[in-house]
Amino acid sequence: LSETLKRVRTSFAIVRENIPAIADLETAALDFLPLLSAILAQEQRIAAMRPVLLNFDTVPAGSSCIVWSAKYPLAEAIRCLIRNSIDASPPGAGVTVGYKFAKGLAELSIRNKTLHLNEKTGFLRELLDKRSEKEISGTALANKVALNLGGELNYSILENNVVETTLSIPAVAAQA
């Protein structure tokens, strides 16, 4: 566990140092589903240590897409959002990651039950405020990456203390 934490801190420190330069990084066409699958495989180990169940919704056929981005910041933003959800979930709970491509957007949704949901409006306001905080958190990083890609990061509260995090970024259909 301590080695994992060291790797995460080092990785996050590198991203934090480079935040002002995210828009200047070399971008490329990235196939979104393999990128997401690789991240989920890595995060399974973190979830198991909590223990939290990390699930991936079935991807609809024909929903593969290409996003135009620098790989590292996008991957780190997704990783941070998944990890935030794992950390906010009680042991034994589930975190469900969903994906869809529609109307020119790749939409990643992460749903988790949280213990921290006392007053719905106050909790949601706190999440929304973290998107723009000056000290870089995983939420602020994900929001900055989303905005740089022409997308957005949103939160909503569903029934039974479930928080849904949605990252939407422009994409085009992958060639079959």
Side-chain angles (χ1 to χ4, degrees):
L1 180 62
S2 63
E3 279 304 309
T4 302
L5 289 174
K6 285 180 190 174
R7 255 192 353 262
V8 170
R9 285 188 189 126
T10 303
S11 172
F12 199 66
I14 292 167
V15 172
R16 187 179 312 136
E17 289 170 12
N18 292 302
I19 286 292
I22 283 179
D24 300 329
L25 292 175
E26 186 176 326
T27 57
L30 300 173
D31 194 337
F32 193 74
L33 278 176
L35 175 67
L36 182 57
S37 295
I39 293 166
L40 286 169
Q42 293 169 347
E43 295 307 307
Q44 284 287 3
R45 293 183 306 229
I46 302 294
M49 287 186 265
R50 290 267 305 132
V52 170
L53 303 170
L54 183 58
N55 306 304
F56 187 49
D57 282 347
T58 305
V59 177
S63 62
S64 185
C65 69
I66 305 294
V67 295
W68 190 257
S69 172
K71 182 178 179 179
Y72 184 76
L74 178 59
E76 194 62 24
I78 293 168
R79 190 174 289 113
C80 286
L81 292 175
I82 292 172
R83 232 171 253 167
N84 285 351
S85 294
I86 290 170
D87 290 344
S89 298
V95 173
T96 303
V97 178
Y99 159 81
K100 70 179 180 179
F101 169 67
K103 299 179 183 171
L105 289 175
E107 186 176 283
L108 175 71
S109 65
I110 305 164
R111 294 176 304 283
N112 67 291
K113 187 169 183 130
T114 182
L115 295 173
H116 308 295
L117 196 58
N118 295 332
E119 181 193 326
K120 287 185 177 186
T121 56
F123 182 76
L124 188 57
R125 173 74 2 228
E126 182 183 325
L127 283 172
L128 295 173
D129 288 347
K130 285 183 180 221
R131 292 185 307 180
S132 60
E133 62 189 15
K134 288 186 173 109
E135 187 173 314
I136 299 301
S137 66
T139 303
L141 168 68
N143 190 56
K144 185 164 185 72
V145 169
L147 292 174
N148 279 332
L149 296 176
E152 62 184 7
L153 175 65
N154 285 304
Y155 292 92
S156 54
I157 298 172
L158 309 177
E159 291 182 20
N160 300 320
N161 289 348
V162 173
V163 175
E164 182 174 49
T165 305
T166 306
L167 174 68
S168 303
I169 53 175
V172 295
Q175 300 283 331

